[in-house]
Structure formats: structure tokens, C-alpha cells
Amino acid sequence: MLYWKKEEEYHDLVNQHYWGALYLELSNLAWEDCPLTLPEKEERIEELMQDPKIKQAIAEIETEKEKNSFVKLLILLLRYEKYSTALKLMQTRIIIGKKFQKSFKVIKNLLIKSK
């Protein structure tokens, strides 16, 4: 990016990619079959947040423009180093997603059977 002198033009996009990678890592850590203990999970997040590029990306994401309340809250929790709470929030999202998926399958099956 520096070589092409495009760092300003793509700055927000690069930040979003750092956020995306961190989000996926949080999601992986929040799954019930993750073999790490809670302290190990928190330590992993802390390690990731020590990376200057990730830390800068999280600090620079404009939460005021974020439409998704869940994402906004997750970013704020990471900024304020509330890693345990961020993990709990992600775990809750996974649980809700599973329940929604089950409900959606039931409705889908009912619609298919009614044809």
C-alpha cells in the first residue's frame, strides 16, 4: 500500500479487514467446543489486541456509524479491554443464532410439506 501511495484511500477498508479477522477469532473462541479455558481465551484476545495494527483498527472504527448494535457493543467492549464480557456476548449471539436456525428449519419444513 505504501509503495503505491494508496494507504489513505484504503485505510478504512484495511481496518475493516482487521476487524473481520478479530470477529472470526472471537466467534471461534466463543463456541462451546473450543478447548481453551476462559482465562486462556481472554489471554488469546489480549494477545491479538496487543498487535498495533489490530489495536489501531479497533480504535479507529467509527462506532457512531455502525448500524448493528451487537457489533457496536462488541467493538466498544474490546476497546475498553472487557474481553470476558465480549466473549459472553459472542456466546449469547451463537446461542440465539442456533435457536433461530432451528425455528427457521421448522418453518421451512412446514412450508415444504404444505406444497
Side-chain angles (χ1 to χ4, degrees):
M1 297 275 258
L2 295 174
Y3 178 76
W4 296 311
K5 300 192 181 351
K6 296 283 187 176
E7 61 272 5
E8 287 296 318
E9 187 176 340
Y10 293 104
H11 185 76
D12 291 342
L13 182 62
V14 171
N15 282 349
Q16 285 299 321
H17 281 281
Y18 277 115
W19 162 242
L22 184 59
Y23 181 91
L24 289 175
E25 184 68 17
L26 280 167
S27 179
N28 288 335
L29 291 170
W31 278 92
E32 60 192 28
D33 60 352
C34 178
L36 301 177
T37 64
L38 181 59
E40 290 171 329
K41 291 175 184 182
E42 291 174 6
E43 187 178 313
R44 174 70 181 136
I45 297 169
E46 193 171 340
E47 284 174 20
L48 292 169
M49 290 299 293
Q50 295 306 312
D51 182 303
K53 291 180 180 181
I54 292 175
K55 193 171 194 122
Q56 178 183 352
I58 297 302
E60 291 179 358
I61 293 174
E62 297 180 46
T63 54
E64 305 81 37
K65 292 182 179 179
E66 180 56 56
K67 294 176 185 171
N68 185 324
S69 321
F70 169 79
V71 170
K72 185 177 186 174
L73 182 55
L74 199 55
I75 291 169
L76 292 172
L77 288 169
L78 292 170
R79 276 187 194 162
Y80 295 112
E81 300 177 4
K82 304 294 184 189
Y83 305 135
S84 178
T85 308
L87 278 168
K88 289 176 187 166
L89 182 64
M90 184 62 85
Q91 288 169 337
T92 303
R93 183 177 183 117
I94 290 169
I95 291 167
I96 291 169
K98 284 180 179 179
K99 288 181 181 179
F100 176 78
Q101 189 177 31
K102 286 178 185 176
S103 301
F104 184 73
K105 282 183 181 179
V106 168
I107 293 169
K108 181 181 170 185
N109 289 336
L110 288 173
L111 291 173
I112 290 171
K113 286 180 184 178
S114 68
K115 286 186 177 183

